[in-house]
Amino acid sequence: QKEVEQNSGPLSVPEGAIASLNCTYSDRGSQSFFWYRQYSGKSPELIMSIYSNGDKEDGRFTAQLNKASQYVSLLIRDSQPSDSATYLCAVKRSGGGADGLTFGKGTHLIIQP
Amino acid sequence: DAGITQSPRHKVTETGTPVTLRCHQTENHRYMYWYRQDPGHGLRLIHYSYGVKDTDKGEVSDGYSVSRSKTEDFLLTLESATSSQTSVYFCATRTSGGTNEQFFGPGTRLTVL
């Protein structure tokens, strides 16, 4: 069973600080990694994708990937109360005929005003 | 996102009855997916489609069937609903390009009594 692990939280961060979310995965063949944001009662919204080792920045968000350590992270700079949500790490399934994403259970992030 | 709609948005049914959920997309995306989301389990892949009439099983496919007779529609059927199938069901789509980015519909909340 290929897994994606996240700390469920809640992770509480003061407004304006950096929020750091972490994810580990077990499938060494995975090549595509994603972060989704999900507000309560809503559907997941894609915020970042990353495919190569290193950092990828998009506005206040930075995704980091280390395939050797099987580790993906998401940094949110200048955290805002509107960033309060559950963040889902997802990994593209690998192997012959496999498709779809394997998700972690999510980290609940609370930004304190 | 990606012009995805799901119907119905909410449904309450009784054990043993058949249920069909519909996903409709207007983006001409080749790939479509059905996930379920449950507390403590996160999002899990039920079935997916890689083209008209081409479908395959995900990790939690028992008790579910799917059909895709045209590009824009992907149907999920519970032949005989059980209480364990009470969940929120999300449809997702992606293009056939190399990014593997999936976009989710608004979800259907299904309650089986």
Side-chain angles (χ1 to χ4, degrees):
Chain A
Q1 183 79 7
K2 296 175 179 175
E3 297 179 340
V4 177
E5 300 287 343
Q6 296 180 255
N7 188 322
S8 62
L11 175 64
S12 186
V13 174
E15 182 176 357
I18 296 175
S20 178
L21 305 165
N22 304 313
C23 170
T24 59
Y25 61 94
S26 63
D27 184 357
R28 284 200 168 273
S30 297
Q31 298 295 321
S32 304
F33 307 87
F34 308 92
W35 284 99
Y36 286 83
R37 177 176 62 198
Q38 187 175 27
Y39 294 113
S40 181
K42 301 297 185 182
S43 61
E45 173 191 8
L46 179 67
I47 54 172
M48 290 289 287
S49 57
I50 187 165
Y51 307 97
S52 303
N53 280 331
D55 295 359
K56 178 182 178 182
E57 185 175 320
D58 184 1
R60 295 186 297 113
F61 298 97
T62 298
Q64 300 174 317
L65 174 61
N66 183 325
K67 291 183 181 178
S69 301
Q70 296 175 247
Y71 178 89
V72 192
S73 65
L74 179 70
L75 302 177
I76 307 174
R77 291 181 299 281
D78 188 22
S79 296
Q80 302 297 310
S82 60
D83 294 325
S84 298
T86 297
Y87 288 79
L88 307 175
C89 175
V91 176
K92 167 86 168 52
R93 298 167 75 205
S94 70
D99 201 345
L101 301 176
T102 300
F103 284 84
K105 295 177 183 178
T107 297
H108 183 41
L109 176 65
I110 299 171
I111 305 301
Q112 296 179 321
Chain B
D1 276 347
I4 305 171
T5 58
Q6 294 185 232
S7 60
R9 294 293 313 280
H10 302 272
K11 186 171 182 67
V12 179
T13 191
E14 294 191 348
T15 297
T17 60
V19 176
T20 295
L21 308 182
R22 180 184 184 231
C23 177
H24 179 79
Q25 56 121 344
T26 59
E27 298 295 314
N28 201 35
H29 285 176
R30 177 182 174 187
Y31 294 86
M32 298 185 75
Y33 306 84
W34 279 107
Y35 294 88
R36 60 178 289 176
Q37 187 173 36
D38 306 286
H41 287 280
L43 279 153
R44 292 179 291 174
L45 181 66
I46 305 171
H47 280 281
Y48 64 94
S49 170
Y50 46 97
V52 174
K53 293 184 171 32
D54 292 322
T55 65
D56 207 345
K57 297 179 179 180
E59 60 181 304
V60 290
S61 59
D62 287 349
Y64 301 95
S65 62
V66 290
S67 65
R68 191 164 178 206
S69 59
K70 45 186 177 178
T71 299
E72 55 266 38
D73 289 328
F74 192 31
L75 304 181
L76 177 70
T77 297
L78 292 66
E79 300 290 348
S80 178
T82 68
S83 58
S84 64
Q85 293 175 312
T86 293
S87 187
V88 180
Y89 291 86
F90 289 103
C91 173
T93 74
R94 73 171 176 92
T95 67
S96 55
T99 66
N100 293 310
E101 292 178 345
Q102 292 187 20
F103 301 94
F104 282 79
T108 294
R109 182 172 295 275
L110 175 67
T111 302
V112 183
L113 301 176

